[in-house]
Amino acid sequence: MTKEFSGKQLVFISLMLFSMFFGAGNLIFPVFLGQAAGDNMWPSLAGFIVSAVGLPILGVVAIAKAGSFQTLNSRVHPLFALIFPFIIYISIGPGLAIPRAGSLAYEMGAAPFLPEGLAVNPATLFIYTIVFFGLVYWLSMSPSKLVDLFGKLLTPIVLALIVIILVKSLITPIGSFELPTGNYGNSPVFQGFLDGYLTMDALAALAFGIVIANTIRAQGVENDKLLSHYMISAGIGAGILLTVIYIILGYLGAASASLGQSENGAQILTNIMGYLFGQSGTLILGIVFTLACFCVSIGLVISCSQFFAGAVSKVPYKAWVLILCLTSTAVANLGLTQILKVSVPILGMIYPIAIVLIFLPLIHQYIENSSYIYVTTVAVVGLFSILDTVNKTFMGEALSPVLNAMPLYQEGIGWLIPALIGIALGYLLGKRKTSSVPAYK
């Protein structure tokens, strides 16, 4: 008989999924949004929550409904199912997200406590990343223990520290909201939506599906429908937690304008913690950043290793854990700036495709007989994303006057119209194929 989960077990699974999503970027971006949006914090935050919470949770739902990420990709084309997952896992794994987590953990959790000369020494970063990813390697070797590690220990610590920060900010008010800046004044909802992209959680959701499914199966759940139900429930639970934390961080950022404008969310958080807690604020912030980066790194290493072990069966899971940790250590020491230069354009190109893959399974029961829709929609959106990326990266935006004429392009979601065109084209092709089949009495 298939084992059923208790409410307590579902809470722990939700906490585990939350901790896998909640990294350094999830701390930085909502705080920066809050300060920049000022009086428009609420509409900006609403847009942010749609893309930074809604899309990732829908991603978990999409994987749960499809059965697996591989099944979902296979609905497009076998070749696509071979190539696209590799691009996703490399991008959110050793290509950007894991090394970024290691670098930010050092910058926020270790460097502030070191002498200035030592903090900027490359050798110090190298030693730190070896220790950091050494611990990630050790804990990633036992993925079945994720629920105990994340749900019962690390995540409650992070949440408790954030609650302490909020309570202190209510006791010691930081300041009042000020006028919005930049696009937060003209189109706050759209700008917030675009900021949510930066968390990369919609991509991570597609990758984490395999970890959540395997974790639930390890608890004794074998029925596919029950597995899907528990995955969706865990996703909703994690989404609620993320929303609450983003509201807290957005509020803190909006109230911090009186402390001075900063270039990024990390500086804003540093100023806030210094104001609220004095010198001990740096220590509290360092702990929060380190734990958040540590949890995300473990989650990403496990999900990527499980995928690559399945894709390349001759190399076992434990070997992939070692490969990914070593690669992430090396990339982290190249410097965050260099990582972003290469990876950001790639992310901009694949994100619209990932969003389309998240939404299509949600309407799969209505388009099940129109198999062309997956192919045409992904193809049209993919061509648009490649053209947009080439225009911004290699052509000095020479095509922007033409692209700006597209609806919603300037708001950052120009891929939406191509997606609708792809759906309509796939539907018409499916109808044509059906009508061409002769009827027999």
Side-chain angles (χ1 to χ4, degrees), residues 17 20-21 26 50-63 68-70 72-73 80 83-93 95-98 100 196-212 242 246 296 299-300 303-304 307 343-359 381 385 415:
L17 181 57
M20 291 169 68
F21 280 130
N26 306 77
V50 168
S51 59
V53 178
L55 289 179
I57 302 313
L58 287 177
V60 174
V61 173
I63 296 300
S68 69
F69 189 32
Q70 191 67 20
L72 179 56
N73 286 292
F80 179 85
I83 297 174
F84 189 69
F86 272 92
I87 297 175
I88 290 285
Y89 279 97
I90 289 173
S91 297
I92 66 165
L96 173 60
I98 300 176
R100 184 180 72 173
Y197 278 15
L198 300 174
T199 65
M200 297 193 299
D201 283 346
L203 299 181
L206 298 174
F208 288 156
I210 186 175
V211 179
I212 300 301
L242 285 169
Y246 288 152
V296 164
L300 288 172
S303 60
C304 291
F307 168 76
S343 301
V344 168
I346 297 176
L347 290 173
M349 182 173 62
I350 64 178
Y351 221 99
I353 301 174
I355 294 175
V356 167
L357 282 176
I358 287 172
F359 274 101
V381 171
S385 297
W415 53 266

Side-chain angles (χ1 to χ4, degrees), residues 362-435:
L362 304 180
I363 60 171
H364 182 72
Q365 62 184 19
Y366 305 107
I367 63 173
E368 192 172 359
N369 295 325
S370 301
S371 58
Y372 286 104
I373 288 180
Y374 279 89
V375 180
T376 55
T377 307
V378 169
V380 174
V381 171
L383 287 173
F384 170 81
S385 297
I386 292 171
L387 179 64
D388 189 31
T389 302
V390 170
N391 174 54
K392 292 177 179 177
T393 307
F394 302 107
M395 299 180 63
E397 301 197 20
L399 298 178
S400 292
V402 177
L403 294 174
N404 284 333
M406 294 184 61
L408 302 176
Y409 180 80
Q410 295 185 43
E411 284 78 11
I413 53 174
W415 53 266
L416 183 58
I417 300 302
L420 295 176
I421 293 173
I423 292 174
L425 182 60
Y427 177 78
L428 292 174
L429 287 173
K431 281 289 186 181
R432 182 181 178 184
K433 180 181 178 182
T434 302
S435 63

